[in-house]
Amino acid sequence: MIDPIMSFAADWQAAQAQKLANARYCSLATVGLDGRPVTRTLVLRAVTDNALVLFVSASSPKWQQLKNNGNFEILVFWPELLRQYRLGGNQLRELSAVEMHDHWQRKPYDAKILDLYYVNHQAQSAVIESREAFLADIAKLKADYPRDEDIPPAENALGLQLAVNFVERWQVGEGGDMHQRTLWTQREGGWQRQFLVP
Ligand SMILES: Cc1cc2nc3c(=O)[nH]c(=O)nc-3n(C[C@H](O)[C@H](O)[C@H](O)COP(=O)(O)O)c2cc1C
């Protein structure tokens, strides 16, 4: 039986090699604290054996939501291929300090400054007084840390490895064929594959 995560990983690598418009991105859906669905675009950083890796701020609503209710779904859509993946689960692991160290080294300067802003000023997604006030605070942080390599790792920067227990692929039918939908569900000892009405 094909491992659907490996299959997704191969498609994702190919999407990046072909430089497809959405190759780097995904939509993460979580359950809001009030029970309503919440979605947002994130960079998909890595695909491991059984999980997807995302980087978020611990100050963000998405992290509060995931801590409150671990249910998530990640949607990846490549318009050029008319192919969609839905991957979901309810378990995650925070990356270790060692794993985060490498990520922090590679993070662009402005993204590091923003992480410092979340720690020293306001949480991600908080309401700001004005764009001008925000930019003034950012300018002060940049003046304090003019050199990328001097910025200390922000304690709020989190790497999340989200364990996937179902994968659904939708693929447009070739040459006038019906569209294809395949669902893989994790079961004891492997994956169960089913075909769904498109
Ligand atoms: C193309 C694109 C890429 C993004 N990548 C990330 C990302 O990797 N990490 C992140 O925290 N937010 C990223 N964002 C911003 C999120 O979509 C979102 O606005 C922010 O994380 C706040 O989400 P929250 O309030 O649900 O926590 C990205 C937005 C876009 C449009």
Side-chain angles (χ1 to χ4, degrees):
M1 167 70 72
I2 295 172
D3 180 324
I5 313 274
M6 300 302 279
S7 177
F8 168 73
D11 275 4
W12 180 61
Q13 298 289 355
Q16 288 174 82
Q18 293 171 63
K19 301 195 187 318
L20 301 186
N22 282 350
R24 299 184 61 227
Y25 307 114
C26 66
S27 302
L28 168 71
T30 50
V31 181
L33 301 184
D34 57 3
R36 288 188 294 178
V38 191
T39 60
R40 77 289 280 160
T41 309
L42 299 179
V43 176
L44 177 56
R45 304 286 171 163
V47 181
T48 64
D49 291 345
N50 235 2
L52 305 182
V53 176
L54 305 173
F55 288 107
V56 306
S57 169
S59 75
S60 68
K62 70 182 87 53
W63 178 234
Q64 308 309 317
Q65 291 156 11
L66 283 167
K67 277 194 300 186
N68 179 60
N69 181 334
N71 286 309
F72 70 88
E73 187 168 310
I74 289 175
L75 181 130
V76 174
F77 171 50
W78 297 307
E80 296 92 334
L81 306 179
L82 292 179
R83 181 174 300 173
Q84 165 184 272
Y85 277 94
R86 296 166 66 175
L87 308 103
N90 53 25
Q91 285 187 358
L92 60 81
R93 176 179 85 82
E94 292 178 41
L95 296 192
S96 67
V98 173
E99 291 164 303
M100 285 309 287
H101 178 79
D102 289 346
H103 164 64
W104 186 258
Q105 299 306 315
R106 288 196 305 271
K107 201 165 191 165
Y109 176 72
D110 274 12
K112 287 181 181 164
I113 291 287
L114 204 46
D115 271 332
L116 288 189
Y117 180 90
Y118 302 146
V119 175
N120 295 325
H121 293 271
Q122 294 232 65
Q124 187 179 29
S125 303
V127 174
I128 45 178
E129 187 191 312
S130 67
R131 173 102 181 135
E132 290 69 29
F134 166 72
L135 291 178
D137 288 335
I138 290 288
K140 272 186 238 147
L141 285 171
K142 287 187 172 181
D144 289 343
Y145 295 98
R147 283 157 36 101
D148 188 336
E149 53 274 33
D150 293 340
I151 305 180
E155 66 219 40
N156 267 347
L158 270 187
L160 302 180
Q161 195 169 309
L162 297 134
V164 171
N165 61 20
F166 76 86
V167 177
E168 191 217 295
R169 185 182 63 204
W170 186 103
Q171 173 63 51
V172 73
E174 299 287 333
D177 260 9
M178 285 288 176
H179 311 316
Q180 284 181 36
R181 281 177 72 197
T182 314
L183 173 67
W184 291 267
T185 313
Q186 202 169 43
R187 297 268 180 255
E188 287 267 318
W191 292 92
Q192 177 189 34
R193 186 182 65 178
Q194 294 165 301
F195 299 105
L196 306 183
V197 178

